[in-house]
Every structure is written in structure tokens, then in C-alpha cells.
Amino acid sequence: MKLKYFVVLLLLFYFSFAQSQSFDTDEIQKRIDNMSLHDKIGQLNQIDGRGSLDDLKELIREGMVGSVMNITDPQVVNELQTIACEKTCAKIPLIFARDVVHGFRTILPIPLAQAATFDPELIKEGAKIAATEATEHGVKWAFAPMIDISRDARWGRIAESFGEDTYLTQKMAVAVVEGFQGNSLSNKTSVAACVKHFIGYGAAEGGRDYNTTFIPERIIREVYLPPFEQAIKAGCASLMTAFNSNNGIPVAGNKFLLKELLHNEISFKGVTVSDWGAISEMITQGFVEDRKSAGEKAINTGVDMDMSSKIYIQFLEKLIEEKKVKESTLDSAVYRLLKLKQALNLFQYPYTDTTKPKETFSKNHLDIAYKIAQKSIVLLKNERETLPLSATVKKILVVGPLADSPHDQLGTWNMDGEEDKTQTPIMSLEKLYGNKVKIQYIKGLNYSRDADKSQFSEIKKEALDVDVIIAFVGEEAILTGEAHSMSDLNLQGVQSELVTELSMLGKPLVTVIMAGRPLTIEKELNCSNAVLYVWHPGTMGGPAIADILFGKTNPEGKLPVTFPRNVGQIPIYYNHYNIGRPATGKEKTIQEIPLNARQSVLGHSSYYLDSGSIPLFPFGFGLSYSQFEIGNLKLLAKNLNKTDTLIICIDITNKGRFAGSETLQLYTSDLVADVVRPIKELKGFIKVFLKPDEQKNVKFTLPISSLAYWSSDMKYAVESGKFKVFVGQDSQSGMEDFFTVK
Ligand code: BGC
């Protein structure tokens, strides 16, 4: 009887739900049914708004634009919106898009730095303030987050990524999507997220931007796909296709990737937009002959919107007439776009409120930017507690091209930040600590590539009576980001010489590295007493760095990417596959090789004669002013079923003098499998705050289902057998134990 009621209720619920759905569907479908072919095609055209405004207005009036990029003046947004909503046949609002990659006006640290916080909740807050600021300026569609797995520091866009790890990237992807979209896209302060670039773009050969990728299906599924899957599960409204061809097929025309994987398997229902000009680039890639066939390929593969190629607007009508594209294909793409506009409430409220007081640059926004910057800073070395600067420090010498470079501090994709609102390290040191210590500042080098050493002698003179030297070196923003790949990751210009000379002055040397990627800094690391890696930290980088230097806050950032010793070690990432002859760590270095040595005296293991097999810093690494000790690792079960969840407990104690946070990381390793598996994989992390001498017991939960992988016959399943579990403070150290899956 009870079951009957339940079934009836279920049916009622289903019908009322289906009805409300079909009501929505009808609304949009009705509009589409009443639209001309021309107007429908116009919706799929995305135009850059930075050209002639008059031309743009004309195009909109003619019903040839569905979305405008790169206009952030709310007055202009409203003006264009009035034309779209009142002066066109279809009367459909535009959707304004922008690359809101790490903040809007209040610039947050670059995404790579954000990943170093290992704090998705905080990153969600960051995305939320970015969305608020963007919507205040009329932007309702953010081309972010970029969730390309990036294992190559040469690739300039690594700055925009969350690093090399799939699990961490998933968490960050979901955080940004949730932060952007809020609890409903219809909120005034919500923007539609756009995960990009689907897929594999970060694996560009040689780290050279736009280069080809060759990624086998298993690696696509295990490494590159999960962040997209999770973001889509979290409701991500749109997705951008990548420029690259993978295994010979450009993504914008890749049926396997866009149709089979994205639409059929993952059931992505949102809008798919091409990357900038990527549809027409299929011609340069030698994949199609001309613009018309490029358009045919892209729309038939599932690219809904054409970003800036203007191919759809030029050829879709003809292609439909020639029956090369079905009108229903066009209608489905328009449907998805209009559903997005509807979800954003653009039909009801197309305009941006220009009278509302702006939250842009509000104290709350600056506080969040500060907090993210502070938590992203990674302490790489701290010899004899050089940091935090002690009370005995009375005079410091600050040098280096990045101590006062607002432009560079904002990093790549700084579309809307303001340099004069940016707080640089020297400004903050003077403002916050200038009454406690005397601060002498000499730039030394005017920018990171500067090769002029003429200020060095003055620096040496000034250094004579200071207690500490702080050098701000690194790379300018322009050396990172899209199309800015590098083949040499050493410090540019004569920065390295500057650091070396400073290290010989007999004073404690703190080197602060501001960069958009891992740089190869072994030399500078060795000659500095303390090293902070602060990335491109955004608007509030200055006070975040100053407070860490003086110990008001304690560093807690962890590297989201492996730091190589030199470029030759790339690709180097912690979760590489098991190999038959792994390095033992006892290999001879190049200097130790005897003269006339025979081929086999060095043994046969996998390493570089000149740089070994170990990176400079492993993934997950980051020190604190405190020392944390872990112990008492306990697995609450050792034999588990595939549906079980394993509980793993560990104690952590703060043995240091400072309160601070540590991020404990959980890794697993599948010891024997049907295909060779990664040496270890991150499966969880927990941030713990501990006062001095405080101890906590931390509990990880590991669903056994999360150990599934793609077998040799491409089945996704958990295999029975033995697994290793590691819990540690980075990917290379910690405690381990074993369990068996039945
Ligand atoms: C980039 C995208 C970006 C687009 C629009 C392209 O060059 O690859 O990430 O969203 O431009 O600015």
C-alpha cells in the first residue's frame, strides 16, 4: 500500500516537473520556431567588441550577433542591449563575455597560485567576487576556469591553470564554477562559467603554445577529462573547445571528443563555444580546405558558437540550403544558447544597473584577494629561521625589478585590473612596517630582462649596514600566458648575477620570486638563506608578502606543480607511470663518472647523467614557519569491498613556535594492475590549523570506487588487489601502509 502511494507521488512529481520543463522548453522553442534562418544563425556569432562601435551596432541591428566579447563599460553594454532587444526582429538580448581569468578589477593571484592554496572554499569566494565585479560591468559570461592539466612549465599558459594534478584541478574547477554561478544563474551577480579548453591543450608538444598534442584515449579519460566532468556535474553552463589537434584531429572538428565523449557520454547540455578563430584555423591545420567546410565540420561536430571566425554567419545559410547541415542541428545550437540566456535571466533583465553602488574594489573584495595571495605563497627554503624577520632586524635593503612593478604583479590575463590600485611589496613594506624598520630600496634592475648592472655598486654600498637583504626577482607578466612559451626557465637578464652578488655581501638574503610558472632556480636557491615563491599575486600581493616576511602570517602554500631542476627534466610530474628501471637515487652524477668508463659501469636506471631523476621540488611541497610532525597512520580496515569507503587516520602535531596550517595529502598507488599505473595519485587533501604544541587527528575518507581506472579493454572499474596508501606533507615524503580490495 505504502509503495503504491510512493509510486503515485513519484509519478505526480515527475509529471509536474516534466510540465514545468516543457513550459520552459516551449518558451524557447516557440521563439526559435518564429525566428528566421538568418536570425538563428546570427545568434551563434560571437563578435569582439573592441573594433568600431558603429559597425558593431549595425551588425547587431541586422540580427547578426548573439554575443559580444570584451566590452565592459555598462553604458555601452546597455546601449547595445537596447538595440538587440528593441531594434531587431528577434528581440533577443545579447550575452556579454570576457576572460575573467583571475578576478575582474580586483585581480586575484594567477590560477596557478590559487591552486597553491589547496583551499577550494577560498577560491570559490574569489570567483564569487570576480563574478560580482564582472556583472557590475555588464559581463554575464566568463571564459574561465581554464582547467587544462599542465605538466610543462615552458607552456606560458601554465599560469592560467591549476597545475599538473587532476584531482586538485577538479576541486578548483568546481570551486570556480560554483563561485561564478552562485546558487542560481539568474542571480544578478552570477556569471556563466566556461570551462576550457576541451581538451588536452596543455599537453602541447615541447610546451610551445598552439602545438599539436598526442594523448592516448586512456590518458584523456584519466588525466584530462575528470576536471571537465566534475565541472559539468557542478552545473557549468558552457565549455570552450581547444585549439590543438589531438592525435591528428583538431578539437573543433573532432567527433570522438565533442560528440562521443562530451555529448553522448558526459551528457553535456550547455553551450559549446569555439576558441578564438579556432574554426577557421582548421584550414591552417590542413584539416579542411576552406572556410565553408570549416563551418560545416564545426557545427556538425557540436561547436555551437563561433568565436570571432565569422564563418557561421557567412556560410551556415548556404550549408543548410545545400543540406550539408541540418536545420535541426542549427536549432539545437540556438536552443542551447537561448536556454543559457534564459537561465541568466537576460530576457527579463537584459540591462546592467549603472546606478547601483559598485562593490568593485570594496574592502571585502580586497580582503579576499589578500587572503588568497597570502595562502598561495610557498616557502621553499628557510635556513636557520631567516624568516620571519625577527625583532632585531632594524634595517633592510629591498632590491629587485619586481619589488615595485604593479603591472607584472597582476600577471597574465589582467584585462581589467588597475595598476594604480595595486599594492606592491615595497609600498606595503613601507606602509605596514616602515615605522618598525628602516627600509632602503634600490631597484637594481629596471625589469626582469634588464642586463644593465650599473646599479649594482650602489646596492653593495647600501648593503654594508643593513640586517637583511630582500631581493624581488622573477619574471614579468608578459613572459607568461597565451603564446608566451619559454625554452629557458632560468631567471632572465642579469637577475641571477644580482642574487649571487647579494649572497656574497655577508648578510642574510631572502629571495622572493614572483613568477607565472615554475622557474629553474636551483642556483638562486642555493645562495639564498630563505626563498618565498609568490607567483604573480595580484592586486593585494604587496601586503600578503609583507605580512609573511614579518611573521604576521605563516606561509602555507603548496606547489601545485613539480619544479624541475632544469628544462631538460621536463616533462616531470609526480604521478608518472611505473617503469621497469626506476632510478635508485644512488646513481653517479656526471662529475663522478670515471674517465674511460665502460658503457655498463653506470648501471641501467632511468635518470639524467647531468641532473638525476629528482626534481628541485616535488608536487605538494611547501614549508611553514612551524614544523609539523605526523604519526600514527591508521587504516580502519585492511580488506575492503569495491563499494566500501576506507577511513584513514593520522596524527599531526605542531612542533614549532608559530601557529600555522599544514595541508596533509593522501595518495594511493595501485600496486599490480591490468595496465601500468601511475606511481601514485592524489586522492584527497585536508588543511589543518594548529597552534604551537597542538595535536590533531585527521581523518581521510577514501571511497574505494575512486580507485577505478580504464583497463586494457577500456572498461572503467576498480580492480581487486593490493594498494598502497601514503599520507604526507608533500608527494614525496610521509607515511605509508597497505590495503587489499576484494
Ligand atoms: C584564448 C581563450 C580566450 C579567448 C578569448 C583565446 O585566444 O585561447 O582562452 O578565452 O582567446 O579571449
Side-chain angles (χ1 to χ4, degrees):
M1 196 58 179
K2 262 186 189 161
L3 186 72
K4 224 162 129 190
Y5 275 126
F6 181 69
V7 172
V8 171
L9 267 174
L10 208 67
L11 283 173
L12 275 174
F13 175 74
Y14 170 77
F15 283 122
S16 61
F17 177 72
Q19 240 178 8
S20 70
Q21 287 297 92
S22 68
F23 173 75
D24 279 359
T25 309
D26 282 345
E27 278 295 290
I28 293 298
Q29 197 54 57
K30 241 188 269 161
R31 274 182 184 270
I32 294 176
D33 293 344
N34 290 324
M35 282 166 79
S36 66
L37 201 55
H38 168 91
D39 284 348
K40 286 192 281 192
I41 294 169
Q43 281 302 307
L44 305 187
N45 189 26
Q46 186 172 58
I47 291 275
D48 184 17
R50 289 170 297 190
S52 145
L53 194 58
D54 288 338
D55 291 353
L56 179 58
K57 284 180 182 167
E58 194 47 38
L59 280 179
I60 296 171
R61 213 171 280 125
E62 287 168 12
M64 291 169 82
V65 184
S67 169
V68 178
M69 304 164 63
N70 298 325
I71 289 191
T72 53
D73 176 344
Q75 313 278 2
V76 181
V77 165
N78 286 348
E79 215 182 308
L80 298 178
Q81 202 65 292
T82 311
I83 301 176
C85 296
E86 292 173 17
K87 306 265 158 57
T88 59
C89 294
K91 302 204 167 23
I92 292 175
L94 299 160
I95 173 169
F96 289 85
R98 185 73 158 168
D99 286 277
V100 187
V101 176
H102 51 112
F104 186 74
R105 287 277 155 86
T106 304
I107 298 293
L108 309 172
I110 53 167
L112 190 61
Q114 295 188 30
T117 65
F118 276 68
D119 192 340
E121 272 309 306
L122 180 61
I123 298 319
K124 184 171 162 182
E125 288 301 305
K128 215 184 270 177
I129 66 160
T132 301
E133 296 192 0
T135 50
E136 284 184 353
H137 294 81
V139 173
K140 289 300 279 178
W141 192 4
F143 295 140
M146 187 191 103
I147 55 175
D148 296 313
I149 298 301
S150 308
R151 293 167 158 181
D152 193 330
R154 291 170 296 182
W155 192 46
R157 300 197 81 168
I158 193 171
E160 278 177 72
S161 79
F162 295 115
E164 74 186 28
D165 183 63
T166 302
Y167 181 84
L168 179 60
T169 300
Q170 280 177 55
K171 297 286 166 199
M172 293 298 168
V174 169
V176 175
V177 168
E178 290 179 351
F180 276 167
Q181 301 193 165
N183 56 10
S184 165
L185 274 176
S186 65
N187 295 346
K188 279 222 154 147
T189 53
S190 294
V191 292
C194 181
V195 276
K196 65 188 192 184
H197 305 85
F198 191 84
I199 193 170
Y201 179 34
E205 276 198 331
R208 187 159 49 75
D209 208 1
Y210 312 128
N211 208 356
T212 313
T213 63
F214 291 99
I215 313 173
E217 185 183 333
R218 177 175 296 106
I219 308 294
I220 285 274
R221 288 178 179 279
E222 288 181 0
V223 176
Y224 292 88
L225 189 60
F228 286 94
E229 276 181 291
Q230 293 306 316
I232 289 165
K233 262 197 202 139
C236 185
S238 71
L239 171 143
M240 190 184 294
T241 62
F243 288 122
N244 54 299
S245 69
N246 188 49
N247 305 333
I249 318 282
V251 176
N254 195 317
K255 283 222 157 86
F256 168 65
L257 294 175
L258 295 190
K259 283 252 178 261
E260 276 180 45
L261 213 52
L262 184 64
H263 285 113
N264 300 348
E265 241 179 79
I266 305 183
S267 308
F268 177 59
K269 299 272 186 296
V271 173
T272 300
V273 60
S274 79
D275 202 343
W276 182 287
I279 299 181
S280 64
E281 282 172 24
M282 286 196 285
I283 307 168
T284 337
Q285 283 167 313
F287 187 63
V288 291
E289 202 175 351
D290 50 28
R291 285 169 59 80
K292 190 169 158 204
S293 16
E296 178 186 343
K297 206 39 145 209
I299 189 103
N300 284 335
T301 310
V303 179
D304 297 333
M305 179 163 256
D306 173 4
M307 184 197 289
S308 90
S309 284
K310 302 191 186 97
I311 284 183
Y312 284 1
I313 200 82
Q314 191 181 356
F315 293 108
L316 272 190
E317 202 159 341
K318 190 95 186 113
L319 285 165
I320 289 170
E321 204 181 289
E322 290 171 2
K323 307 222 173 325
K324 289 185 174 151
V325 173
K326 291 189 192 135
E327 192 165 348
S328 60
T329 304
L330 167 72
D331 287 357
S332 307
V334 177
Y335 181 82
R336 285 189 280 272
L337 181 71
L338 297 197
K339 282 300 276 185
L340 176 59
K341 291 184 177 184
Q342 184 190 45
L344 287 164
N345 230 356
L346 285 171
F347 287 103
Q348 283 88 341
Y349 302 104
Y351 301 108
T352 302
D353 181 358
T354 50
T355 58
K356 184 174 162 264
K358 303 253 184 290
E359 278 185 58
T360 297
F361 286 127
S362 69
K363 177 165 182 318
N364 177 39
H365 288 196
L366 294 176
D367 285 350
I368 290 170
Y370 166 88
K371 209 162 168 194
I372 299 178
Q374 183 250 309
K375 285 175 184 285
S376 73
I377 292 171
V378 186
L379 178 66
L380 293 178
K381 178 177 181 181
N382 196 15
E383 223 171 49
R384 281 175 272 110
E385 297 203 339
T386 307
L387 289 177
L389 298 176
S390 75
T392 58
V393 169
K394 293 288 173 241
K395 188 170 178 193
I396 61 178
L397 173 63
V398 175
V399 298
L402 288 146
D404 194 24
S405 185
H407 175 82
D408 295 314
Q409 170 175 334
L410 296 181
T412 184
W413 282 117
N414 157 33
M415 307 279 280
D416 300 282
E418 290 177 24
E419 286 171 24
D420 55 9
K421 289 264 183 8
T422 302
Q423 303 187 28
T424 67
I426 191 64
M427 280 163 62
S428 306
L429 284 167
E430 274 160 1
K431 184 168 153 207
L432 304 171
Y433 298 95
N435 58 347
K436 292 200 188 99
V437 291
K438 191 159 185 310
I439 299 165
Q440 186 69 28
Y441 168 53
I442 307 171
K443 203 160 189 177
L445 296 167
N446 292 323
Y447 57 107
S448 73
R449 291 162 292 156
D450 196 355
D452 175 5
K453 297 199 275 183
S454 58
Q455 297 173 59
F456 282 23
S457 53
E458 192 194 347
I459 290 175
K460 282 186 207 162
K461 224 181 328 142
E462 283 301 332
L464 288 175
D465 67 339
V466 301
D467 301 310
V468 175
I469 304 172
I470 308 177
F472 287 86
V473 292
E475 60 182 349
E476 297 151 72
I478 193 65
L479 302 184
T480 74
E482 185 176 349
H484 298 162
S485 295
M486 295 283 288
S487 66
D488 176 2
L489 300 180
N490 290 327
L491 289 177
Q492 290 295 311
V494 289
Q495 293 184 97
S496 192
E497 286 173 57
L498 175 64
V499 176
T500 311
E501 295 212 9
L502 294 172
S503 74
M504 296 190 301
L505 300 177
K507 307 284 177 182
L509 172 63
V510 177
T511 301
V512 179
I513 299 173
M514 209 182 256
R517 54 156 71 82
L519 293 172
T520 46
I521 48 159
E522 189 164 16
K523 194 169 154 222
E524 296 74 24
L525 183 80
N526 289 339
C527 68
S528 306
N529 302 97
V531 176
L532 285 172
Y533 215 84
V534 303
W535 318 99
H536 286 144
T539 306
M540 294 299 282
I545 295 167
D547 284 346
I548 282 192
L549 287 169
F550 278 89
K552 184 174 173 205
T553 53
N554 193 346
E556 61 184 89
K558 295 281 184 180
L559 298 178
V561 59
T562 304
F563 271 44
R565 305 192 110 86
N566 55 39
V567 164
Q569 282 191 323
I570 298 172
I572 186 163
Y573 46 92
Y574 84 93
N575 50 351
H576 62 84
Y577 275 47
N578 279 303
I579 53 172
R581 295 182 178 188
T584 59
K586 296 193 186 113
E587 285 82 7
K588 283 193 170 37
T589 64
I590 195 157
Q591 291 80 13
E592 291 164 347
I593 302 174
L595 209 61
N596 297 327
R598 296 221 165 243
Q599 180 65 29
S600 57
V601 297
L602 303 181
H604 296 90
S605 62
S606 180
Y607 80 110
Y608 295 106
L609 298 185
D610 55 350
S611 56
S613 61
I614 296 168
L616 188 59
F617 290 108
F619 173 86
F621 180 84
L623 303 170
S624 158
Y625 294 154
S626 304
Q627 291 75 47
F628 300 102
E629 251 180 47
I630 52 170
N632 206 13
L633 175 71
K634 264 202 198 109
L635 275 52
L636 296 200
K638 291 282 182 118
N639 282 299
L640 295 110
N641 291 314
K642 290 178 181 162
T643 49
D644 287 347
T645 293
L646 172 61
I647 309 285
I648 301 146
C649 299
I650 192 160
D651 289 339
I652 175 164
T653 314
N654 184 349
K655 294 279 191 183
R657 292 187 290 125
F658 302 89
S661 292
E662 176 60 306
T663 300
L664 285 178
Q665 302 156 38
L666 169 76
Y667 299 88
T668 59
S669 141
D670 189 346
L671 295 179
V672 181
D674 173 54
V675 293
V676 173
R677 302 280 299 127
I679 193 151
K680 58 175 70 163
E681 293 172 289
L682 184 69
K683 295 288 178 187
F685 54 83
I686 295 176
K687 213 181 247 279
V688 205
F689 177 80
L690 294 159
K691 294 192 213 106
D693 292 327
E694 194 182 4
Q695 187 180 73
K696 279 187 183 158
N697 184 260
V698 176
K699 192 167 92 180
F700 286 97
T701 48
L702 177 75
I704 297 303
S705 59
S706 71
L707 302 171
Y709 72 96
W710 291 87
S711 64
S712 57
D713 52 359
M714 291 310 283
K715 299 253 162 54
Y716 188 67
V718 180
E719 207 179 8
S720 304
K722 203 169 174 192
F723 291 80
K724 201 197 255 190
V725 120
F726 306 75
V727 180
Q729 292 160 267
D730 61 59
S731 61
Q732 298 307 316
S733 59
M735 303 185 72
E736 58 183 57
D737 203 347
F738 299 85
F739 64 91
T740 304
V741 175
K742 288 181 263 184

PDB file of all heavy atoms in Angstrom, residues 40-56:
ATOM      1  N   LYS A  40      18.528  33.103 -36.570  1.00  0.00           N
ATOM      2  CA  LYS A  40      19.039  31.973 -35.777  1.00  0.00           C
ATOM      3  C   LYS A  40      20.562  31.886 -35.927  1.00  0.00           C
ATOM      4  O   LYS A  40      21.287  31.741 -34.948  1.00  0.00           O
ATOM      5  CB  LYS A  40      18.385  30.657 -36.236  1.00  0.00           C
ATOM      6  CG  LYS A  40      16.936  30.533 -35.781  1.00  0.00           C
ATOM      7  CD  LYS A  40      16.386  29.144 -35.966  1.00  0.00           C
ATOM      8  CE  LYS A  40      15.982  28.853 -37.387  1.00  0.00           C
ATOM      9  NZ  LYS A  40      15.203  27.629 -37.548  1.00  0.00           N
ATOM     10  N   ILE A  41      21.019  32.010 -37.156  1.00  0.00           N
ATOM     11  CA  ILE A  41      22.472  31.935 -37.395  1.00  0.00           C
ATOM     12  C   ILE A  41      23.173  33.086 -36.676  1.00  0.00           C
ATOM     13  O   ILE A  41      24.231  32.898 -36.060  1.00  0.00           O
ATOM     14  CB  ILE A  41      22.770  31.941 -38.912  1.00  0.00           C
ATOM     15  CG1 ILE A  41      22.227  30.651 -39.529  1.00  0.00           C
ATOM     16  CG2 ILE A  41      24.268  32.073 -39.174  1.00  0.00           C
ATOM     17  CD1 ILE A  41      22.220  30.625 -41.047  1.00  0.00           C
ATOM     18  N   GLY A  42      22.554  34.248 -36.706  1.00  0.00           N
ATOM     19  CA  GLY A  42      23.126  35.425 -36.030  1.00  0.00           C
ATOM     20  C   GLY A  42      23.399  35.155 -34.557  1.00  0.00           C
ATOM     21  O   GLY A  42      24.394  35.617 -33.993  1.00  0.00           O
ATOM     22  N   GLN A  43      22.531  34.375 -33.933  1.00  0.00           N
ATOM     23  CA  GLN A  43      22.712  34.070 -32.511  1.00  0.00           C
ATOM     24  C   GLN A  43      24.033  33.335 -32.247  1.00  0.00           C
ATOM     25  O   GLN A  43      24.597  33.438 -31.176  1.00  0.00           O
ATOM     26  CB  GLN A  43      21.536  33.216 -32.001  1.00  0.00           C
ATOM     27  CG  GLN A  43      20.273  34.015 -31.716  1.00  0.00           C
ATOM     28  CD  GLN A  43      20.520  35.115 -30.693  1.00  0.00           C
ATOM     29  OE1 GLN A  43      21.039  34.850 -29.613  1.00  0.00           O
ATOM     30  NE2 GLN A  43      20.161  36.335 -31.043  1.00  0.00           N
ATOM     31  N   LEU A  44      24.494  32.597 -33.223  1.00  0.00           N
ATOM     32  CA  LEU A  44      25.691  31.769 -32.992  1.00  0.00           C
ATOM     33  C   LEU A  44      26.985  32.506 -33.312  1.00  0.00           C
ATOM     34  O   LEU A  44      28.064  31.929 -33.313  1.00  0.00           O
ATOM     35  CB  LEU A  44      25.613  30.486 -33.832  1.00  0.00           C
ATOM     36  CG  LEU A  44      24.353  29.651 -33.634  1.00  0.00           C
ATOM     37  CD1 LEU A  44      24.470  28.330 -34.375  1.00  0.00           C
ATOM     38  CD2 LEU A  44      24.102  29.391 -32.144  1.00  0.00           C
ATOM     39  N   ASN A  45      26.851  33.788 -33.576  1.00  0.00           N
ATOM     40  CA  ASN A  45      28.016  34.582 -33.938  1.00  0.00           C
ATOM     41  C   ASN A  45      28.486  35.395 -32.734  1.00  0.00           C
ATOM     42  O   ASN A  45      27.732  36.192 -32.187  1.00  0.00           O
ATOM     43  CB  ASN A  45      27.615  35.527 -35.091  1.00  0.00           C
ATOM     44  CG  ASN A  45      28.815  36.230 -35.688  1.00  0.00           C
ATOM     45  OD1 ASN A  45      29.934  35.725 -35.617  1.00  0.00           O
ATOM     46  ND2 ASN A  45      28.575  37.395 -36.283  1.00  0.00           N
ATOM     47  N   GLN A  46      29.721  35.170 -32.349  1.00  0.00           N
ATOM     48  CA  GLN A  46      30.283  35.940 -31.230  1.00  0.00           C
ATOM     49  C   GLN A  46      31.346  36.888 -31.763  1.00  0.00           C
ATOM     50  O   GLN A  46      32.278  36.476 -32.445  1.00  0.00           O
ATOM     51  CB  GLN A  46      30.908  35.007 -30.196  1.00  0.00           C
ATOM     52  CG  GLN A  46      31.381  35.748 -28.959  1.00  0.00           C
ATOM     53  CD  GLN A  46      31.829  34.803 -27.869  1.00  0.00           C
ATOM     54  OE1 GLN A  46      32.723  33.993 -28.085  1.00  0.00           O
ATOM     55  NE2 GLN A  46      31.224  34.890 -26.708  1.00  0.00           N
ATOM     56  N   ILE A  47      31.164  38.161 -31.415  1.00  0.00           N
ATOM     57  CA  ILE A  47      31.975  39.217 -32.016  1.00  0.00           C
ATOM     58  C   ILE A  47      32.821  39.904 -30.961  1.00  0.00           C
ATOM     59  O   ILE A  47      32.358  40.111 -29.835  1.00  0.00           O
ATOM     60  CB  ILE A  47      31.007  40.274 -32.632  1.00  0.00           C
ATOM     61  CG1 ILE A  47      30.286  39.684 -33.832  1.00  0.00           C
ATOM     62  CG2 ILE A  47      31.680  41.561 -32.977  1.00  0.00           C
ATOM     63  CD1 ILE A  47      31.080  39.789 -35.112  1.00  0.00           C
ATOM     64  N   ASP A  48      34.031  40.257 -31.325  1.00  0.00           N
ATOM     65  CA  ASP A  48      34.877  41.043 -30.435  1.00  0.00           C
ATOM     66  C   ASP A  48      34.420  42.496 -30.479  1.00  0.00           C
ATOM     67  O   ASP A  48      34.304  43.084 -31.559  1.00  0.00           O
ATOM     68  CB  ASP A  48      36.333  40.929 -30.897  1.00  0.00           C
ATOM     69  CG  ASP A  48      37.290  41.648 -29.961  1.00  0.00           C
ATOM     70  OD1 ASP A  48      36.888  41.936 -28.817  1.00  0.00           O
ATOM     71  OD2 ASP A  48      38.434  41.915 -30.366  1.00  0.00           O
ATOM     72  N   GLY A  49      34.154  43.066 -29.314  1.00  0.00           N
ATOM     73  CA  GLY A  49      33.616  44.428 -29.261  1.00  0.00           C
ATOM     74  C   GLY A  49      34.676  45.511 -29.319  1.00  0.00           C
ATOM     75  O   GLY A  49      34.362  46.686 -29.140  1.00  0.00           O
ATOM     76  N   ARG A  50      35.933  45.145 -29.552  1.00  0.00           N
ATOM     77  CA  ARG A  50      36.967  46.172 -29.494  1.00  0.00           C
ATOM     78  C   ARG A  50      37.194  46.895 -30.824  1.00  0.00           C
ATOM     79  O   ARG A  50      38.046  47.745 -30.926  1.00  0.00           O
ATOM     80  CB  ARG A  50      38.276  45.562 -28.978  1.00  0.00           C
ATOM     81  CG  ARG A  50      38.211  45.212 -27.500  1.00  0.00           C
ATOM     82  CD  ARG A  50      39.394  44.403 -27.037  1.00  0.00           C
ATOM     83  NE  ARG A  50      39.468  43.102 -27.702  1.00  0.00           N
ATOM     84  CZ  ARG A  50      40.293  42.127 -27.333  1.00  0.00           C
ATOM     85  NH1 ARG A  50      41.098  42.305 -26.309  1.00  0.00           N
ATOM     86  NH2 ARG A  50      40.312  40.980 -27.972  1.00  0.00           N
ATOM     87  N   GLY A  51      36.401  46.500 -31.838  1.00  0.00           N
ATOM     88  CA  GLY A  51      36.528  47.184 -33.128  1.00  0.00           C
ATOM     89  C   GLY A  51      35.653  48.429 -33.158  1.00  0.00           C
ATOM     90  O   GLY A  51      35.378  49.030 -32.118  1.00  0.00           O
ATOM     91  N   SER A  52      35.183  48.801 -34.349  1.00  0.00           N
ATOM     92  CA  SER A  52      34.355  50.007 -34.474  1.00  0.00           C
ATOM     93  C   SER A  52      32.985  49.783 -33.832  1.00  0.00           C
ATOM     94  O   SER A  52      32.273  48.816 -34.164  1.00  0.00           O
ATOM     95  CB  SER A  52      34.200  50.348 -35.963  1.00  0.00           C
ATOM     96  OG  SER A  52      32.927  50.890 -36.202  1.00  0.00           O
ATOM     97  N   LEU A  53      32.621  50.688 -32.949  1.00  0.00           N
ATOM     98  CA  LEU A  53      31.346  50.556 -32.249  1.00  0.00           C
ATOM     99  C   LEU A  53      30.174  50.715 -33.222  1.00  0.00           C
ATOM    100  O   LEU A  53      29.160  50.020 -33.107  1.00  0.00           O
ATOM    101  CB  LEU A  53      31.268  51.586 -31.118  1.00  0.00           C
ATOM    102  CG  LEU A  53      30.155  51.370 -30.095  1.00  0.00           C
ATOM    103  CD1 LEU A  53      30.255  50.010 -29.427  1.00  0.00           C
ATOM    104  CD2 LEU A  53      30.172  52.471 -29.047  1.00  0.00           C
ATOM    105  N   ASP A  54      30.348  51.601 -34.176  1.00  0.00           N
ATOM    106  CA  ASP A  54      29.268  51.819 -35.147  1.00  0.00           C
ATOM    107  C   ASP A  54      29.017  50.563 -35.976  1.00  0.00           C
ATOM    108  O   ASP A  54      27.871  50.183 -36.224  1.00  0.00           O
ATOM    109  CB  ASP A  54      29.593  53.015 -36.061  1.00  0.00           C
ATOM    110  CG  ASP A  54      29.458  54.317 -35.286  1.00  0.00           C
ATOM    111  OD1 ASP A  54      28.744  54.313 -34.262  1.00  0.00           O
ATOM    112  OD2 ASP A  54      30.092  55.316 -35.681  1.00  0.00           O
ATOM    113  N   ASP A  55      30.100  49.947 -36.413  1.00  0.00           N
ATOM    114  CA  ASP A  55      29.944  48.708 -37.192  1.00  0.00           C
ATOM    115  C   ASP A  55      29.249  47.638 -36.352  1.00  0.00           C
ATOM    116  O   ASP A  55      28.388  46.903 -36.840  1.00  0.00           O
ATOM    117  CB  ASP A  55      31.310  48.173 -37.649  1.00  0.00           C
ATOM    118  CG  ASP A  55      31.944  49.082 -38.698  1.00  0.00           C
ATOM    119  OD1 ASP A  55      31.257  50.034 -39.145  1.00  0.00           O
ATOM    120  OD2 ASP A  55      33.119  48.852 -39.048  1.00  0.00           O
ATOM    121  N   LEU A  56      29.655  47.584 -35.098  1.00  0.00           N
ATOM    122  CA  LEU A  56      29.062  46.572 -34.210  1.00  0.00           C
ATOM    123  C   LEU A  56      27.560  46.811 -34.053  1.00  0.00           C
ATOM    124  O   LEU A  56      26.752  45.877 -34.145  1.00  0.00           O
ATOM    125  CB  LEU A  56      29.774  46.611 -32.846  1.00  0.00           C
ATOM    126  CG  LEU A  56      29.268  45.647 -31.778  1.00  0.00           C
ATOM    127  CD1 LEU A  56      29.350  44.199 -32.257  1.00  0.00           C
ATOM    128  CD2 LEU A  56      30.064  45.787 -30.484  1.00  0.00           C
TER     129      LEU A  56
END
